[in-house]
Amino acid sequence: MPGLLVLMGSGETSPTMVEIHRATARTLRAGARAVLLDTPYAFQENAADISARARRYFAHSVGLDVEVATGVTGADWVFSGPGSPTYALDRWTGSGVAGDLRARIRARAGVTVLASAAACTAGLATVPVYEIYKVGADPHWREGIDLLEPLGLRVVLIPHFDNAEGGTHDTRFCYLGERRLSRMERELPPGTAVLGLDEHTALVIDLESESVRVAGRGGLTVRRPGSQTVLPTGTRTDLAELRRLAEGRTGTATVPPPPAEPAPAQVTLEETIHTCEELFKAAVGRPDMVAAAQTVLDLEAEIVKWAADTEEDSGGVEQARELMRLLIARLGELASAAGLRSLGLHSLVEPLLALRSRLREEGRYDVADALRAAMLAGGIAVEDTPDGPRWTCTS
C-alpha cells in the first residue's frame, strides 16, 4: 500500500473535498483500518457530535468506515482536522502520538490526512491561532511536530491561507493577517519557509514516488522573506522542486513547476447561499413561483450535503438554514397574493409539500412546522392524513 501525506487548508469534511478523499481511499487494501484522531477538538462540549458527523461524512460520501481513536498504532489511514492546534500538540507530544505520526512519514507507510488545525502542527513551528486571534496573545510560535522534516522540508505550514472572513480586517494566513505574519516570520529559524495552503485546497504527497500535486479550489504558496511562489490547483511537481522553492534556490538546472491543469470549479456553501438568494429574488420578480420554490428545495439539498462539515467557525450551515426560513416565510406571504392565484396554486404548493415531507423525514420538525405555519398565513391549510398531506385554500 503506497504511503500518502495529504494536507488540507480547510473544508476537510465538506463536498469540496470528497473527490480527494475518495482518491486516497482507493489506495487502501480491503479491510484497511481507518482512524479519526479527535484530539484537536476533544476539549469541546460537542466533540462527540463532531466525530459523529465526520464518521457519517466518510461513510456516506467516501465509503470509508472510520473509528474514533486517540492513537495511530496499527492504522492504515489516519485523519485529523479542526480544533485547536496547541491543544493537539500538547496531547500528541505527551502521549507519543507525535512520534508515531513522524514514524509513519519516515517509513513512507499508510495514508495520513491532516487538515485545518491538525495540518497547522505539521511543520517545525505551529501558529497558536486560538491564543493569538481569539485571546489576544502576542504573536508567537509553538514548536510543531515537524512531519515534513523527513521529507527534507524546513517549513511551517499555515492553513486557511486565503481566508477572507474578516471583511474589514485582514484574516488571511490562518487569521493572522499580513502584519502579524510578517513579524512572526522574522522569528523563525534561518532558512525556514512558509507553506500557505488555501481553503478547500489539498497538498497531496506520494511518499513513495515523491510526486506532489495541488488539488481543490485554491493554491499552495511557498513564501520566503521578500518573495513567494504560488502553485495553483492542478499543479503537479515533485518533492525535489518543492524543496528547491522552500530553500530559495535558483539555477538553470532546476525545472520550474509545470503549468496548472484545468480543474473543475468547487463551490462553497457561502457561495451557494448567495446564489440561491439571488435566484429566489429573480424568480419572485418575474414572477415564477415554481422556480422560487425550487430554489428553496435546492438550498435545502445543499444544507444536507454540508451538514457533515466540521468547520465550526464558519457557521455556513446555520446561515443557510436562516436564509431557508426567510425564503419559506416569503413564499407563504406570496401565496396569499390574489395576483398569484391565477398562476395556479398547485404548482406552488406541491413543491412546498415535498420540501416539508423531506424535512420531516430528516427529523427537522421545527423547520417543517415553520413552513406549515407560513403556508397557513398565506391562505393554505395543510392537514396530515394516513394517505399523506392534504391542502386546502382557506380564502
Side-chain angles (χ1 to χ4, degrees):
M1 186 173 64
L4 291 175
L5 174 61
V6 183
L7 302 169
M8 294 182 171
S10 80
E12 56 270 18
T13 52
S14 74
T16 60
M17 308 305 277
V18 166
E19 290 305 320
I20 297 170
H21 284 303
R22 288 175 179 172
T24 62
R26 285 193 291 268
T27 68
L28 300 174
R29 62 173 181 262
R33 181 173 178 241
V35 161
L36 161 65
L37 287 178
D38 64 351
T39 316
Y41 59 83
F43 64 95
Q44 296 181 204
E45 291 295 323
N46 64 338
D49 177 61
I50 296 174
S51 294
R53 282 188 283 138
R55 293 190 68 211
R56 285 197 299 270
Y57 172 85
F58 287 113
H60 297 160
S61 299
V62 185
L64 201 57
D65 184 19
V66 176
E67 63 179 273
V68 179
T70 56
V72 301
T73 303
D76 301 294
W77 180 94
V78 173
F79 168 83
S80 193
S84 166
T86 50
Y87 185 88
L89 276 173
D90 290 341
R91 275 124 195 100
W92 285 345
T93 302
S95 65
V97 171
D100 292 340
L101 288 170
R102 282 193 296 267
R104 289 173 65 87
I105 305 305
R106 288 197 188 95
R108 313 282 172 121
V111 177
T112 304
V113 184
L114 301 182
S116 301
C120 202
T121 70
L124 63 84
T126 295
V127 175
V129 58
Y130 274 67
E131 292 82 347
I132 296 173
Y133 184 63
K134 294 190 174 183
V135 182
D138 287 338
H140 65 285
W141 298 99
R142 284 283 305 276
E143 185 177 356
I145 59 177
D146 212 1
L147 287 188
L148 298 169
E149 184 274 333
L151 306 181
L153 292 168
R154 187 177 178 82
V155 297
V156 298
L157 192 133
I158 299 183
H160 297 279
F161 203 69
D162 62 342
N163 181 274
E165 290 177 26
T168 57
H169 67 281
D170 189 1
T171 54
R172 293 173 299 163
F173 320 138
C174 201
Y175 307 96
L176 291 175
E178 178 64 44
R179 180 182 63 82
R180 285 183 291 206
L181 177 58
S182 296
R183 171 180 166 181
M184 291 172 66
E185 282 177 312
R186 294 193 291 270
E187 300 172 2
L188 288 170
T192 303
V194 168
L195 294 187
L197 200 50
D198 286 346
E199 297 186 321
H200 300 277
T201 305
L203 171 64
V204 182
I205 303 175
D206 187 312
L207 300 174
E208 184 177 357
S209 68
E210 295 202 346
S211 64
V212 172
R213 69 184 179 98
V214 181
R217 278 178 57 92
L220 173 73
T221 299
V222 185
R223 173 168 160 147
R224 291 179 52 80
S227 69
Q228 67 176 28
T229 301
V230 178
L231 305 180
T233 184
T235 296
R236 292 180 180 270
T237 184
D238 55 31
L239 275 176
E241 176 64 15
L242 199 55
R243 292 186 201 106
R244 184 193 73 82
L245 292 172
E247 293 167 5
R249 290 187 287 113
T250 58
T252 57
T254 327
V255 180
E261 302 168 355
Q266 299 286 343
V267 180
T268 67
L269 181 57
E270 288 75 13
E271 291 167 341
T272 298
I273 291 170
H274 177 73
T275 299
C276 286
E277 191 170 14
E278 293 302 313
L279 288 174
F280 184 88
K281 289 179 181 177
V284 169
R286 287 196 288 272
D288 185 344
M289 293 302 103
V290 175
Q294 185 59 50
T295 299
V296 178
L297 291 170
D298 292 342
L299 179 59
E300 191 272 341
E302 286 297 313
I303 291 172
V304 172
K305 283 172 57 179
W306 284 81
D309 189 12
T310 54
E311 286 279 7
E312 290 295 293
D313 289 340
S314 65
V317 171
E318 187 54 40
Q319 182 184 352
R321 286 176 177 151
E322 290 174 359
L323 174 62
M324 187 173 72
R325 292 187 186 99
L326 289 173
L327 299 187
I328 287 172
R330 180 64 176 145
L331 282 174
E333 295 170 3
L334 293 170
S336 64
L340 295 178
R341 296 190 187 283
S342 62
L343 298 176
L345 279 175
H346 185 275
S347 62
L348 171 62
V349 172
E350 291 303 321
L352 292 178
L353 290 179
L355 171 59
R356 180 173 176 267
S357 296
R358 189 186 305 175
L359 291 169
R360 287 168 61 85
E361 289 171 2
E362 295 168 359
R364 295 164 60 190
Y365 297 104
D366 58 335
V367 182
D369 290 345
L371 174 55
R372 183 179 184 177
M375 294 175 70
L376 181 60
I380 304 297
V382 178
E383 178 187 5
D384 292 311
T385 74
D387 298 323
R390 295 177 182 174
W391 64 273
T392 55
C393 183
T394 62
S395 59

